[in-house]
Amino acid sequence: MNNTQVELVKFNDDLLAEIWKQGFSEEKPEWKNWDGPYFENDYRSYDSIDQFIQSDIYSFFMDDQRRCILFNGDPVGMVGRYWKDENTRWLEIGITIYNPRFWSGGIGSLALKLWISEIFNHLSELEHIGLTTWSGNQRMMRAAEKLGMKKEAHVRKVRFWKNHYFDSLSYGILREEWEAELLKDSEIMPRETEITDLN
């Protein structure tokens, strides 16, 4: 990607209006086929932005655990984080880019890079960040590997969808591994790619 800028910002009503159009105004959006499609009851569409704002999904996006992905200033998706076990400091992240025309261009990898850095900077006691996906989502698997995450678990045939079994895959990276990745990237990152960390 040449002359592009990827940023992470907190959601507001204007950003969410665009996210509603891209991700939650259709009955069967394309993105849902890759974002845990085997959870059939965790998505619904909204006929208007007002209906969307009055729903539970609105508070989900507005929570401090989520950020809006801006690509050249336009909202295209979200990153999030959640505790699998806060008592033991086990945290996982996720990402969704809603418009298919922004897939496979490196935007997701750049957004995840910013998000992992922000989390490690903000949670100084944290030593590990994880990401779980499924074997049907090759793009997510490639993104995790591109970021230097290691495959830590591979559970076979536990996601049944459309008469096929898929595997669950968990990736993770340690703080010292992430710092080494950033150091390596700083030596080879193309000059024309601008990444803005808002911390």
Side-chain angles (χ1 to χ4, degrees), residues 59-72:
S59 58
F60 170 84
F61 280 108
M62 295 297 284
D63 190 279
D64 194 50
Q65 309 301 305
R66 255 66 64 181
R67 295 288 185 275
C68 181
I69 303 169
L70 298 183
F71 174 57
N72 289 340

Side-chain angles (χ1 to χ4, degrees), residues 30-142:
E30 177 65 17
W31 68 267
K32 193 65 187 78
N33 288 326
W34 308 100
D35 186 59
Y38 33 79
F39 295 124
E40 294 183 1
N41 298 319
D42 69 343
Y43 171 82
R44 62 158 294 191
S45 61
Y46 298 90
D47 294 332
S48 68
I49 183 59
D50 289 338
Q51 190 181 78
F52 181 70
I53 286 175
Q54 293 169 11
S55 71
D56 291 340
I57 195 73
Y58 175 80
S59 58
F60 170 84
F61 280 108
M62 295 297 284
D63 190 279
D64 194 50
Q65 309 301 305
R66 255 66 64 181
R67 295 288 185 275
C68 181
I69 303 169
L70 298 183
F71 174 57
N72 289 340
D74 295 323
V76 298
M78 62 85 69
V79 288
R81 69 186 190 200
Y82 66 96
W83 292 106
K84 284 195 68 107
D85 189 335
E86 189 170 3
N87 290 329
T88 64
R89 299 177 183 172
W90 184 357
L91 182 139
E92 295 231 326
I93 58 174
I95 182 172
T96 304
I97 295 178
Y98 296 102
N99 192 327
R101 74 186 182 94
F102 295 117
W103 295 351
S104 301
I107 297 170
S109 295
L110 291 176
L112 284 171
K113 183 178 293 187
L114 292 175
W115 192 221
I116 292 171
S117 291
E118 180 175 327
I119 292 169
F120 273 136
N121 288 338
H122 180 66
L123 300 175
S124 59
E125 73 282 3
L126 195 69
E127 289 295 330
H128 175 277
I129 291 175
L131 181 153
T132 299
T133 187
W134 61 297
S135 59
N137 193 340
Q138 297 290 323
R139 283 186 298 270
M140 185 64 78
M141 294 162 62
R142 285 196 299 269

